[in-house]
Amino acid sequence: MSHQNPAKRNLAAMTDAWTAMTQTFLQSATAANRAAMSAMLPASGSNGSDGETVPASIPSIDHSNLDWQFDRTVDDPARISVGDTVTFEKVLSDDDVRAFAHVSGDTNRLHLDDEFAADTRFGERIVHGTLVSGLISAALARLPGLTIYLSQDLEFSGPVGIGDRVSARVEIVEDLGNSQYRLETVIRNEDEDATVINGEAVVLIDDLPEE
């Protein structure tokens, strides 16, 4: 994707417009992230839109992709503590966007129609905000143990273009007791070197079932 679009050069103005348009997001986070993850997970044995499907390297996930990257600071669920982080990173491709539109039913032309999007304030198609935020779910899934979403609070501050590489970073900021944790959640557009989503999540971390 070209990054010479005038709308991208004027990122500050676009960010202000985006913020005014979205402000806060606090609804149906679990259902929305399920849809986002469905768009990111190809059928077993198939290749994803952005690389080859490969076996999982950790027991909490079913499979991975050669283009996906993740890093975490803790491997043992019993040792999870404040300050631990997980980062997940991938390209959000046109195939991802079209798959998400089909799965979620959000067929807004801003995400799917180049000519239509060219005449909007963004000047080009952008990725669904909920698909972008779904990378938080991908990061949480890579915490040790079985992570269960309890709540999510998000604020959008900028768009993500089709084909941009995006990272989600989650950091445990409070141990709430009873295996529940509050986390800071941040998504960055790595191609634009900009934070596009800030928020907080609360999760429950169970032991993985014995196999």
Side-chain angles (χ1 to χ4, degrees), residues 186-200:
V186 178
I187 293 187
R188 290 183 52 79
N189 185 331
E190 297 297 338
D191 287 344
E192 296 296 331
D193 191 26
T195 297
V196 294
I197 298 177
N198 277 296
E200 288 190 347

Side-chain angles (χ1 to χ4, degrees), residues 86-168:
V86 178
T87 302
F88 176 83
E89 184 175 318
K90 77 180 295 288
V91 171
L92 289 173
S93 68
D94 182 58
D95 285 348
D96 289 331
V97 169
R98 295 187 183 280
F100 180 79
H102 177 74
V103 170
S104 67
D106 182 353
T107 56
N108 187 331
R109 293 172 68 188
L110 176 61
H111 309 302
L112 303 173
D113 186 328
D114 286 306
E115 290 187 10
F116 177 87
D119 292 330
T120 68
R121 69 177 71 219
F122 303 105
E124 63 181 356
R125 288 192 297 136
I126 62 173
V127 180
H128 301 74
T130 310
L131 174 54
V132 179
S133 69
L135 270 66
I136 294 170
S137 184
L140 292 173
R142 285 158 173 79
L143 284 164
L146 177 63
T147 304
I148 301 168
Y149 242 137
L150 298 181
S151 68
Q152 176 76 61
D153 177 8
L154 298 174
E155 182 172 327
F156 295 82
S157 56
V160 170
I162 312 297
D164 286 354
R165 177 165 286 276
V166 179
S167 68

Side-chain angles (χ1 to χ4, degrees), residues 14-186:
M14 185 187 300
T15 297
D16 289 343
W18 182 266
T19 302
M21 201 166 56
T22 59
Q23 289 302 317
T24 57
F25 173 86
L26 179 56
Q27 57 183 10
S28 304
T30 302
N33 281 318
R34 281 200 196 103
M37 290 308 295
S38 295
M40 286 187 244
L41 297 180
S44 179
S46 69
N47 288 343
S49 61
D50 53 359
E52 181 182 351
T53 302
V54 295
S57 59
I58 55 176
S60 60
I61 61 173
D62 181 74
H63 66 271
S64 190
N65 186 292
L66 290 177
D67 184 66
W68 301 349
Q69 301 174 19
F70 89 95
D71 181 66
R72 66 184 186 182
T73 60
V74 60
D75 294 319
D76 183 352
R79 300 181 68 85
I80 292 175
S81 62
V82 171
D84 282 325
T85 62
V86 178
T87 302
F88 176 83
E89 184 175 318
K90 77 180 295 288
V91 171
L92 289 173
S93 68
D94 182 58
D95 285 348
D96 289 331
V97 169
R98 295 187 183 280
F100 180 79
H102 177 74
V103 170
S104 67
D106 182 353
T107 56
N108 187 331
R109 293 172 68 188
L110 176 61
H111 309 302
L112 303 173
D113 186 328
D114 286 306
E115 290 187 10
F116 177 87
D119 292 330
T120 68
R121 69 177 71 219
F122 303 105
E124 63 181 356
R125 288 192 297 136
I126 62 173
V127 180
H128 301 74
T130 310
L131 174 54
V132 179
S133 69
L135 270 66
I136 294 170
S137 184
L140 292 173
R142 285 158 173 79
L143 284 164
L146 177 63
T147 304
I148 301 168
Y149 242 137
L150 298 181
S151 68
Q152 176 76 61
D153 177 8
L154 298 174
E155 182 172 327
F156 295 82
S157 56
V160 170
I162 312 297
D164 286 354
R165 177 165 286 276
V166 179
S167 68
R169 182 179 186 273
V170 300
E171 178 178 352
I172 294 176
V173 295
E174 185 178 2
D175 183 342
L176 301 174
N178 298 317
S179 301
Q180 296 182 32
Y181 301 89
R182 184 169 62 89
L183 301 98
E184 177 185 67
T185 58
V186 178

